[in-house]
Amino acid sequence: MSGIFGYFVNPARGAGSADNGAAPEEMVRTVACAMGARMCHTPRQQADCASISATGALGRISIGLLNRAPQPVTAGDGACSLWMCGEFYHQEARRSALARQGLLDVDAARQADDAALALAVFRAQGAAGLARLDGAFVVAVWEAGLGLLTLVNDRYGLYTHYYSHTDANFAFAPEIKGVLAAPGVPRRLDLTAVAEYSRFQQLLGVRTWLEDVHLLPPATILRYNSHDHALTRTRYWDWDAIQPAPRMDFGAVVEETTRLFQRAMDAMTQPPLRLGVYLSGGLDGRTILGFIPPEKPVTAITYGAAGCGDVVYGAALAKRAKRPHRWFPFDDGHWVQEQSALHLTLTEGMHGWMHAHGMTTLDEASALIDVNLSGWDGGTILGGRIDEYSTDALLRHPPNEAARVERLYEDFCRVFTWPGLTDSEADALFNPPGRTGLRGLAHDSFAAAVAATAHYPDPYRTDFFYINQHVLRSTQSMIVFQRAAMEVRCPFFDYAFVDF
């Protein structure tokens, strides 16, 4: 997936020297380039890298659609350089303000790409300014004079990244494979992660398969000081930052919801990239189709067996909307076997087949569209995903914490996964010699994850837990594997729309 990657060695240990006499800068650059190459899985993916000091190198991997100008972008005084993947939305006023301050070229203020905008924001307001930007992104800023690297991602972590920080080195990348391409990263298997996946078909929190490799959490400012090898992590936003809205009648709520979603759609359908929307899977994508202004071209895509509901409804909706429609037929189940290796590679084994639908279309679809306007979890944002949540007292108003944990644990084991294990099946799986150490690990980690949400207000705590743990750690993998072939925009995750 597109992203930023980097490799730094602890200056107390030094980069050393190669047998061929290569300088330390060249050594760290060679490692970073190997990291980038390890993450190129499709013809569209390209990686580039450069050494930035004697102990560090940075790079970017992309499919060449967003931020096409060379990176890094560098301040005129050379004080800082910036790499970026992703994009910003609703930044017209900020661009004009920065132009007035002389931080963004006046003639190019409207044309300047998002990396140039991010650099101007950082120069004016630092990492806190980047954290206030609305969009889907990861930004890396290197301040050579300070020896300081700053990573900032968007509030939902829509471009997943991973990192490892040991006494020997610091490495980060959009894939675990990229991190592991750096020398010295321990390969210690996280048994709790194994237990979690056995029960939930996903991992929780910031876990990966390895104890020393972690997910970069959403809404994070990560700072690495290359002088003393220190790493700090700051969370700049959380779900409880959303303030309760004033009471409104139903008609007013509908009107404001419509206005905000149309605003999101207008921002995410700007030229020049070719737009597409998948109508298979539910009402989310079909809602998006209805909000695309008629003057903006878009291709509707459907996949499935001939005569199935998705195909019939998709064709009818595309015809009603007067949009070109492409149907990808599923004649048999062989696509699972055909795509399994690539799916495993792109999702790194952290995503079950339950949500792998549509993967077989990506190669041909990327010849038709540049951007998928994804309906990913729109139903969750609009009303809550958990079935019958409004009448389920154990989900909304449990009598105690233990009841909350058990009710959610049951859903994560059996409702949100398919086919989930029963408790007796899990006991049988973990019973043989050599596996008994896995017993109870999934439940204990799940209870700890629930406890970490105690600061969320009821009755929203269940929703926020579900989004943090299932949406952002499981179904988001659909976005991850799509981004190997095309860019993805997520209108339902527009900041103002989610807040409302």
Side-chain angles (χ1 to χ4, degrees):
M1 189 180 78
S2 297
I4 311 300
F5 56 92
Y7 174 68
F8 292 80
V9 297
N10 186 339
R13 296 191 171 192
S17 59
D19 293 338
N20 62 5
E25 292 93 337
E26 185 61 26
M27 289 184 62
V28 294
R29 180 184 178 277
T30 298
V31 171
C33 289
M35 293 170 66
R38 187 67 183 86
M39 296 182 289
C40 290
H41 312 297
T42 68
R44 300 194 71 170
Q45 293 176 301
Q46 298 179 346
D48 56 76
C49 62
S51 59
I52 56 174
S53 71
T55 59
L58 292 173
R60 177 178 64 140
I61 181 170
S62 73
I63 57 174
L65 293 174
L66 299 176
N67 298 296
R68 296 186 179 187
Q71 292 189 12
V73 291
T74 302
D77 58 6
C80 57
S81 300
L82 181 143
W83 290 255
M84 174 187 174
C85 73
E87 59 186 347
F88 305 122
Y89 312 122
H90 316 300
Q91 297 304 310
E92 294 79 7
R94 183 172 275 106
R95 287 177 183 273
S96 298
L98 290 168
R100 288 194 297 271
Q101 296 174 46
L103 295 173
L104 201 60
D105 185 75
V106 176
D107 294 331
R110 294 189 179 183
Q111 290 76 35
D113 71 7
D114 283 339
L117 171 62
L119 180 63
V121 169
F122 185 83
R123 292 174 63 197
Q125 302 170 342
L130 295 177
R132 286 191 287 271
L133 291 170
D134 184 338
F137 60 88
V138 170
V139 171
V141 182
W142 171 247
E143 296 175 271
L146 301 176
L148 184 65
L149 174 73
T150 302
L151 287 176
V152 183
N153 63 355
D154 65 80
R155 64 157 67 168
Y156 308 124
L158 296 178
Y159 281 84
T160 53
H161 278 64
Y162 304 89
Y163 70 95
S164 175
H165 182 241
T166 68
D167 185 56
N169 57 41
F170 168 56
F172 67 94
E175 296 182 14
I176 298 171
K177 293 183 292 298
V179 175
L180 293 180
V185 178
R187 266 71 165 173
R188 293 179 296 189
L189 180 65
D190 188 331
L191 294 180
T192 298
V194 175
E196 286 178 353
Y197 195 87
S198 299
R199 296 311 312 268
F200 316 134
Q201 293 188 26
Q202 65 160 96
L203 306 186
L204 301 177
V206 298
R207 288 190 188 278
T208 70
W209 298 114
L210 303 172
E211 291 183 357
D212 296 280
V213 181
H214 315 285
L215 173 74
L216 180 68
T220 291
I221 299 173
L222 194 74
R223 292 183 174 93
Y224 172 74
N225 188 319
S226 66
H227 294 322
D228 61 9
H229 198 55
L231 187 73
T232 60
R233 197 180 79 188
T234 304
R235 184 77 180 255
Y236 68 79
W237 181 89
D238 204 349
W239 290 92
D240 57 347
I242 300 176
Q243 298 299 309
R247 294 189 64 85
M248 303 170 65
D249 63 47
F250 182 73
V253 170
V254 171
E255 184 176 343
E256 182 65 1
T257 299
T258 301
R259 183 189 73 81
L260 289 172
F261 195 70
Q262 187 65 67
R263 174 177 175 268
M265 289 299 304
D266 289 345
M268 296 187 193
T269 54
Q270 294 299 313
L273 298 183
R274 300 171 300 165
L275 304 174
V277 57
Y278 279 75
L279 302 182
S280 296
L283 293 173
D284 317 85
R286 299 166 195 174
T287 299
I288 287 173
L289 181 65
F291 275 83
I292 298 174
E295 69 275 10
K296 295 183 177 180
V298 62
T299 298
I301 296 174
T302 308
Y303 53 83
C308 74
D310 268 4
V311 172
V312 173
Y313 297 146
L317 286 167
K319 183 178 180 180
R320 177 69 62 89
K322 299 180 180 179
R323 304 294 192 177
H325 177 244
R326 174 66 186 273
W327 166 44
F328 291 91
F330 284 180
D331 298 322
D332 49 48
H334 292 169
W335 68 272
V336 176
Q337 295 171 305
E338 294 166 355
Q339 299 293 322
S340 61
L342 182 59
H343 180 264
L344 181 64
T345 295
L346 296 177
T347 64
E348 305 191 283
M350 294 185 289
H351 184 232
W353 274 101
M354 179 178 177
H355 295 291
H357 40 56
M359 188 169 186
T360 187
T361 70
L362 296 181
D363 187 39
E364 292 185 61
S366 64
L368 302 172
I369 66 174
D370 299 318
V371 175
N372 172 27
L373 296 166
S374 174
W376 169 51
D377 268 283
T380 301
I381 298 301
L382 282 172
R385 160 64 176 82
I386 299 174
D387 296 336
E388 303 297 331
Y389 73 92
S390 60
T391 59
D392 192 325
L394 289 179
L395 284 176
R396 286 297 158 193
H397 303 287
N400 52 54
E401 191 71 357
R404 182 194 304 274
V405 169
E406 295 309 315
R407 182 67 181 84
L408 281 168
Y409 184 75
E410 176 187 356
D411 279 352
F412 269 71
C413 286
R414 299 285 294 166
V415 177
F416 306 143
T417 59
W418 177 88
L421 296 176
T422 64
D423 288 342
S424 60
E425 289 170 337
D427 287 342
L429 180 65
F430 298 153
N431 238 353
R435 301 182 193 169
T436 54
L438 298 176
R439 289 181 187 167
L441 292 182
H443 186 278
D444 291 348
S445 68
F446 191 89
V450 174
T453 65
H455 61 291
Y456 293 150
D458 280 326
Y460 309 114
R461 185 177 173 191
T462 296
D463 289 326
F464 294 162
F465 179 83
Y466 176 84
I467 293 172
N468 280 336
Q469 301 299 344
H470 188 71
V471 174
L472 299 182
R473 289 299 331 250
S474 177
T475 61
Q476 187 177 358
S477 292
M478 293 186 290
I479 308 302
V480 169
F481 68 66
Q482 288 173 21
R483 282 200 171 120
M486 61 187 65
E487 291 295 343
V488 183
R489 291 172 179 158
C490 306
F492 288 101
F493 282 83
D494 176 85
Y495 287 10
F497 184 73
V498 171
D499 286 353
F500 182 72

